[in-house]
Amino acid sequence: METDASLLGVELEQKQQEELYQQLLLQTMGKVQSESPPSKVIRPQPGMCVKTSSMPDKKKVFLNICQSQAVPPPPHLSQEALVELLESEDPTSYRVPMSLGEPHTEVDNSSQGCTVYDVVINDEFFQKCQKDTLFQQFLIAVSLEGLENKYNLELSRDVTILKNRKFMGSIAEQNIRAKSKPIIQEIDSNPEFSLLVEPPSGNVEHLIAEILLPGVISACSLVLDLGEDRLVLNARSSLFHLDIFFPLLIDQENSVAQFNTNTQTLTVTMPVLSS
């Protein structure tokens, strides 16, 4: 019996694509080891010290809000846009890049033990917040929320900015991700990248990244890594490199990736975590 070679070729390609799709999916779920994102140790500079308390035990907590050039700035935001953001249904849609340090125990002016967290933000954005009370209040609010989410605690919104000291105790070095390059590095082609939101209005449920990779003929040459707010894509041929941060936290485990060999487009669909 004769065999149709064209049909076998289609079936083989479909099988290979399915296997490669599963490989990409496993990588997005963190089950395939990939190179760790570059990081570096920084020594933050003092900024301001904020006093609050833990809930419900009302123990003293201090935030050393520090500054460093190594932390990327958030997108530009005018005061008018900030007012609109705070009045919107989802003010958390605007994210401020920050490094949240581990808690450390210090002694306050009353010789009482207290818990201190170091929060590091971009130095230029810190200076902007120092000049504008509304931005300063916003910075404190997102710092408190960030610590609550990371360490599963509750902090009082009754805060005091210490006038005579910029930090409590000591400021430790922090290991942060190296500053990303939010574009595709081009060698000899002109790729395109777009980030879509679904639905287009209201609360965002999915982020969809569409990456055009001309010259890439197979998904096996791609290495995709998803973090909670970051996408890193490399082509093993060194043809492309993409490293971007998202304005929202994503559900890594339920994200899916698919490479279309006809259009040479990689589509990554990422559910957004509710705040």
Side-chain angles (χ1 to χ4, degrees), residues 3 8 25 40 54 59 114 163 185 221 241 256:
T3 303
L8 285 178
L25 178 58
K40 61 181 177 180
S54 57
K59 292 184 178 180
C114 59
K163 296 181 179 180
Q185 293 178 332
S221 65
H241 171 74
V256 294

PDB file of all heavy atoms in Angstrom, residues 3 8 25 40 54 59 114 163 185 221 241 256:
ATOM      1  N   THR A   3       1.994   5.099   0.619  1.00  0.00           N
ATOM      2  CA  THR A   3       1.764   6.080   1.684  1.00  0.00           C
ATOM      3  C   THR A   3       1.918   7.479   1.122  1.00  0.00           C
ATOM      4  O   THR A   3       2.869   7.751   0.379  1.00  0.00           O
ATOM      5  CB  THR A   3       2.770   5.888   2.831  1.00  0.00           C
ATOM      6  OG1 THR A   3       2.653   4.550   3.303  1.00  0.00           O
ATOM      7  CG2 THR A   3       2.489   6.847   3.957  1.00  0.00           C
ATOM      8  N   LEU A   8       2.058  12.428   5.781  1.00  0.00           N
ATOM      9  CA  LEU A   8       2.986  12.101   6.863  1.00  0.00           C
ATOM     10  C   LEU A   8       3.750  13.337   7.302  1.00  0.00           C
ATOM     11  O   LEU A   8       3.995  13.553   8.494  1.00  0.00           O
ATOM     12  CB  LEU A   8       3.963  11.016   6.396  1.00  0.00           C
ATOM     13  CG  LEU A   8       3.410   9.598   6.296  1.00  0.00           C
ATOM     14  CD1 LEU A   8       4.495   8.664   5.771  1.00  0.00           C
ATOM     15  CD2 LEU A   8       2.906   9.117   7.651  1.00  0.00           C
ATOM     16  N   LEU A  25       5.295  25.895  27.077  1.00  0.00           N
ATOM     17  CA  LEU A  25       4.356  25.997  28.188  1.00  0.00           C
ATOM     18  C   LEU A  25       5.024  25.636  29.494  1.00  0.00           C
ATOM     19  O   LEU A  25       4.844  26.303  30.511  1.00  0.00           O
ATOM     20  CB  LEU A  25       3.152  25.079  27.936  1.00  0.00           C
ATOM     21  CG  LEU A  25       2.095  25.026  29.048  1.00  0.00           C
ATOM     22  CD1 LEU A  25       1.548  26.411  29.301  1.00  0.00           C
ATOM     23  CD2 LEU A  25       0.984  24.066  28.672  1.00  0.00           C
ATOM     24  N   LYS A  40      22.308  42.339  40.376  1.00  0.00           N
ATOM     25  CA  LYS A  40      23.483  42.978  40.935  1.00  0.00           C
ATOM     26  C   LYS A  40      23.161  43.481  42.336  1.00  0.00           C
ATOM     27  O   LYS A  40      22.000  43.695  42.692  1.00  0.00           O
ATOM     28  CB  LYS A  40      23.960  44.117  40.051  1.00  0.00           C
ATOM     29  CG  LYS A  40      22.950  45.245  39.855  1.00  0.00           C
ATOM     30  CD  LYS A  40      23.526  46.310  38.941  1.00  0.00           C
ATOM     31  CE  LYS A  40      22.513  47.405  38.671  1.00  0.00           C
ATOM     32  NZ  LYS A  40      23.064  48.456  37.782  1.00  0.00           N
ATOM     33  N   SER A  54       1.932  47.479  62.747  1.00  0.00           N
ATOM     34  CA  SER A  54       1.319  46.258  62.241  1.00  0.00           C
ATOM     35  C   SER A  54      -0.079  46.114  62.832  1.00  0.00           C
ATOM     36  O   SER A  54      -0.383  46.643  63.904  1.00  0.00           O
ATOM     37  CB  SER A  54       2.178  45.044  62.608  1.00  0.00           C
ATOM     38  OG  SER A  54       2.364  44.970  64.018  1.00  0.00           O
ATOM     39  N   LYS A  59       2.158  46.827  66.706  1.00  0.00           N
ATOM     40  CA  LYS A  59       3.583  46.937  66.987  1.00  0.00           C
ATOM     41  C   LYS A  59       4.225  47.914  66.006  1.00  0.00           C
ATOM     42  O   LYS A  59       3.820  48.024  64.855  1.00  0.00           O
ATOM     43  CB  LYS A  59       4.253  45.563  66.872  1.00  0.00           C
ATOM     44  CG  LYS A  59       3.819  44.597  67.963  1.00  0.00           C
ATOM     45  CD  LYS A  59       4.582  43.278  67.850  1.00  0.00           C
ATOM     46  CE  LYS A  59       4.182  42.322  68.959  1.00  0.00           C
ATOM     47  NZ  LYS A  59       4.923  41.028  68.866  1.00  0.00           N
ATOM     48  N   CYS A 114      11.785  47.312  67.215  1.00  0.00           N
ATOM     49  CA  CYS A 114      10.817  47.583  66.149  1.00  0.00           C
ATOM     50  C   CYS A 114      11.251  46.834  64.890  1.00  0.00           C
ATOM     51  O   CYS A 114      12.394  46.395  64.763  1.00  0.00           O
ATOM     52  CB  CYS A 114      10.717  49.088  65.868  1.00  0.00           C
ATOM     53  SG  CYS A 114      12.283  49.845  65.379  1.00  0.00           S
ATOM     54  N   LYS A 163      10.670  63.644  60.549  1.00  0.00           N
ATOM     55  CA  LYS A 163      11.274  64.859  59.994  1.00  0.00           C
ATOM     56  C   LYS A 163      12.779  64.928  60.211  1.00  0.00           C
ATOM     57  O   LYS A 163      13.495  65.525  59.417  1.00  0.00           O
ATOM     58  CB  LYS A 163      10.608  66.099  60.613  1.00  0.00           C
ATOM     59  CG  LYS A 163       9.127  66.242  60.274  1.00  0.00           C
ATOM     60  CD  LYS A 163       8.553  67.504  60.893  1.00  0.00           C
ATOM     61  CE  LYS A 163       7.077  67.677  60.532  1.00  0.00           C
ATOM     62  NZ  LYS A 163       6.508  68.904  61.142  1.00  0.00           N
ATOM     63  N   GLN A 185      16.365  43.679  20.845  1.00  0.00           N
ATOM     64  CA  GLN A 185      17.651  44.065  20.297  1.00  0.00           C
ATOM     65  C   GLN A 185      17.752  43.516  18.886  1.00  0.00           C
ATOM     66  O   GLN A 185      17.610  42.321  18.647  1.00  0.00           O
ATOM     67  CB  GLN A 185      18.791  43.515  21.163  1.00  0.00           C
ATOM     68  CG  GLN A 185      18.830  44.146  22.538  1.00  0.00           C
ATOM     69  CD  GLN A 185      19.924  43.560  23.374  1.00  0.00           C
ATOM     70  OE1 GLN A 185      20.304  42.414  23.195  1.00  0.00           O
ATOM     71  NE2 GLN A 185      20.433  44.342  24.304  1.00  0.00           N
ATOM     72  N   SER A 221      13.980  26.943  18.835  1.00  0.00           N
ATOM     73  CA  SER A 221      15.096  27.879  18.964  1.00  0.00           C
ATOM     74  C   SER A 221      14.793  28.998  19.944  1.00  0.00           C
ATOM     75  O   SER A 221      15.615  29.888  20.151  1.00  0.00           O
ATOM     76  CB  SER A 221      15.438  28.481  17.597  1.00  0.00           C
ATOM     77  OG  SER A 221      14.357  29.266  17.117  1.00  0.00           O
ATOM     78  N   HIS A 241      16.504  39.339  21.303  1.00  0.00           N
ATOM     79  CA  HIS A 241      16.433  39.300  22.767  1.00  0.00           C
ATOM     80  C   HIS A 241      15.368  40.287  23.192  1.00  0.00           C
ATOM     81  O   HIS A 241      15.384  41.448  22.780  1.00  0.00           O
ATOM     82  CB  HIS A 241      17.772  39.668  23.405  1.00  0.00           C
ATOM     83  CG  HIS A 241      17.688  39.851  24.890  1.00  0.00           C
ATOM     84  ND1 HIS A 241      17.560  38.785  25.762  1.00  0.00           N
ATOM     85  CD2 HIS A 241      17.675  40.966  25.651  1.00  0.00           C
ATOM     86  CE1 HIS A 241      17.492  39.239  26.996  1.00  0.00           C
ATOM     87  NE2 HIS A 241      17.557  40.561  26.959  1.00  0.00           N
ATOM     88  N   VAL A 256       0.016  30.700  28.666  1.00  0.00           N
ATOM     89  CA  VAL A 256       0.293  29.785  27.557  1.00  0.00           C
ATOM     90  C   VAL A 256       1.003  30.540  26.438  1.00  0.00           C
ATOM     91  O   VAL A 256       0.816  31.740  26.264  1.00  0.00           O
ATOM     92  CB  VAL A 256      -0.997  29.135  27.011  1.00  0.00           C
ATOM     93  CG1 VAL A 256      -1.619  28.232  28.043  1.00  0.00           C
ATOM     94  CG2 VAL A 256      -1.987  30.200  26.558  1.00  0.00           C
TER      95      VAL A 256
END
